[in-house]
Amino acid sequence: MKRRQFMTALGAAAGGATASISVPNWLHAMDPDNRYRQQIGIQLYTLRNEIKQDVKATLKAVAEAGFYQVEPYGFPNCRPMIEAASEFGLKLNSSHFNSDSIVNNDTGDDDAFDTVLEKANDVGLSHLVIPYLPDTFRTSLDDYKRVCENCNRAAEKAKDAGIQLSYHNHAFEFKPIGKEEDAEPNCGYEIMINEFSPDMKFEVDVFWVVVGGEDPAELINRLGSRVSQLHLKDLNKATKLPSYDGVSVDAFEEIGDGIIDMEPIIEAAEKAGVEHCHIEQDQSPDALASVQQSIAYLKSM
């Protein structure tokens, strides 16, 4: 599906039409032993409020809901999450981390990132993910190019340490910078596609790709083996698209309740060799109930 067709379909869905994008039954395409079903993870930022209250009880509930693995946030300052995950038998392969030591490192001082890598090896991580790019580092295409240079240097070091470094997107990376008639690439994500080295990969958040006006399955197919992991979440049909600078808190839906067709995304992930998929829901009035619903939907199909 081309971008113009995709945006037309999304606009129709947001306006209440039913023909262009249907509420998905994506897991019909997944065999009972599908590795994403069997090894589904959760990005623990979803449960940040619950974790602040009682990390052990929250991780126990995550395990009881049927999750196989967890992806913490704020590494290396997330020891209670890591210890609770171990206690309840949850695998730990990937973590988001404080990436200022990379994106704000024009001097090439790698001491801080070396410490992160050492601690990641200590707890058995195989993936580290840059979770967000502050606005001061993305005011121009040159800003993105500078970030890419820093990421590439860090990714080489991570590879030497046996760890895959990746970048997690939001919608702002797809926002055009400059005039429409400017030559491509004219957005941050295209700069990343062009400038990231083979050592630097992408953790594709399918929700934010759609909010950014793109087709996630098409993007995964385009990137292929450069995609290391996925974040799976669903989008309320009333959301205005594209919305590069953010969405309302009610834009987030439990998987299966929104307009994102996950079936072609999962198919693309299989083809690309994506290693891990994690459920995430940035906002919910009852986050634990939301993730329980999302995984139950998966397990029941």
Side-chain angles (χ1 to χ4, degrees), residues 66-126:
F67 286 94
Y68 172 84
Q69 61 181 309
V70 297
E71 186 180 45
Y73 57 93
F75 186 86
N77 301 316
C78 58
R79 175 62 61 176
M81 289 183 238
I82 292 170
E83 292 176 348
S86 177
E87 179 176 350
F88 297 110
L90 293 159
K91 300 297 182 181
L92 186 70
N93 296 300
S94 176
S95 183
H96 286 196
F97 73 106
N98 183 347
S99 53
D100 191 60
S101 60
I102 295 177
V103 299
N104 191 25
N105 185 22
D106 293 339
T107 65
D109 181 1
D110 292 330
D111 288 347
F113 187 55
D114 286 343
T115 299
V116 172
L117 291 174
E118 181 180 351
K119 292 183 177 180
N121 274 319
D122 287 344
V123 299
L125 289 176
S126 55

Side-chain angles (χ1 to χ4, degrees), residues 5-265:
Q5 295 171 315
F6 182 63
M7 290 304 297
T8 300
L10 285 174
T18 59
S20 297
I21 293 183
S22 59
V23 175
N25 287 318
W26 59 285
L27 291 164
H28 285 308
M30 294 172 66
D31 295 329
D33 61 348
N34 177 278
R35 64 191 180 99
Y36 301 126
R37 182 205 293 270
Q38 295 298 320
Q39 299 179 9
I40 193 67
I42 178 173
Q43 166 48 244
L44 290 176
Y45 182 77
T46 306
L47 301 171
R48 57 197 179 278
N49 294 324
E50 290 79 3
I51 286 171
K52 287 179 182 178
Q53 294 296 318
D54 192 331
V55 62
K56 289 185 66 172
T58 302
L59 271 291
K60 182 174 185 289
V62 165
E64 290 174 346
F67 286 94
Y68 172 84
Q69 61 181 309
V70 297
E71 186 180 45
Y73 57 93
F75 186 86
N77 301 316
C78 58
R79 175 62 61 176
M81 289 183 238
I82 292 170
E83 292 176 348
S86 177
E87 179 176 350
F88 297 110
L90 293 159
K91 300 297 182 181
L92 186 70
N93 296 300
S94 176
S95 183
H96 286 196
F97 73 106
N98 183 347
S99 53
D100 191 60
S101 60
I102 295 177
V103 299
N104 191 25
N105 185 22
D106 293 339
T107 65
D109 181 1
D110 292 330
D111 288 347
F113 187 55
D114 286 343
T115 299
V116 172
L117 291 174
E118 181 180 351
K119 292 183 177 180
N121 274 319
D122 287 344
V123 299
L125 289 176
S126 55
H127 294 259
L128 285 169
V129 182
I130 297 171
Y132 185 80
L133 190 59
D135 54 7
T136 54
F137 299 101
R138 50 182 166 91
T139 61
S140 69
L141 296 179
D142 285 340
D143 282 346
Y144 278 102
K145 290 178 181 179
R146 185 163 57 253
V147 167
C148 289
E149 290 178 4
N150 293 344
C151 287
N152 289 342
R153 184 173 62 246
E156 183 177 2
K157 290 183 67 67
K159 182 180 180 180
D160 290 342
I163 292 174
Q164 178 61 61
L165 185 64
S166 302
Y167 179 86
H168 169 274
N169 66 278
H170 289 77
F172 55 74
E173 295 91 345
F174 301 97
K175 184 177 183 178
I177 298 176
K179 299 178 181 178
E180 289 292 334
E181 62 267 20
D182 288 346
E184 295 290 343
N186 73 335
C187 72
Y189 208 80
E190 286 294 330
I191 293 292
M192 291 176 172
I193 290 173
N194 288 349
E195 299 288 333
F196 276 168
S197 72
D199 295 334
M200 185 69 197
K201 296 196 176 184
F202 297 88
E203 181 177 67
V204 173
D205 187 307
V206 303
F207 173 97
W208 289 116
V209 171
V210 174
V211 173
E214 303 294 335
D215 182 339
E218 185 177 275
L219 179 63
I220 295 165
N221 283 327
R222 177 185 176 191
L223 292 172
S225 62
R226 300 178 72 184
V227 182
S228 60
Q229 304 184 88
L230 297 184
H231 276 189
L232 305 177
K233 64 184 77 164
D234 219 335
L235 176 66
N236 186 289
K237 66 180 181 180
T239 306
K240 183 179 178 181
L241 303 172
S243 182
Y244 302 115
D245 298 319
V247 294
S248 64
V249 296
D250 58 0
F252 300 88
E253 292 277 10
E254 292 74 25
I255 292 176
D257 283 355
I259 65 170
I260 298 179
D261 188 351
M262 296 287 180
E263 182 173 338
I265 292 171

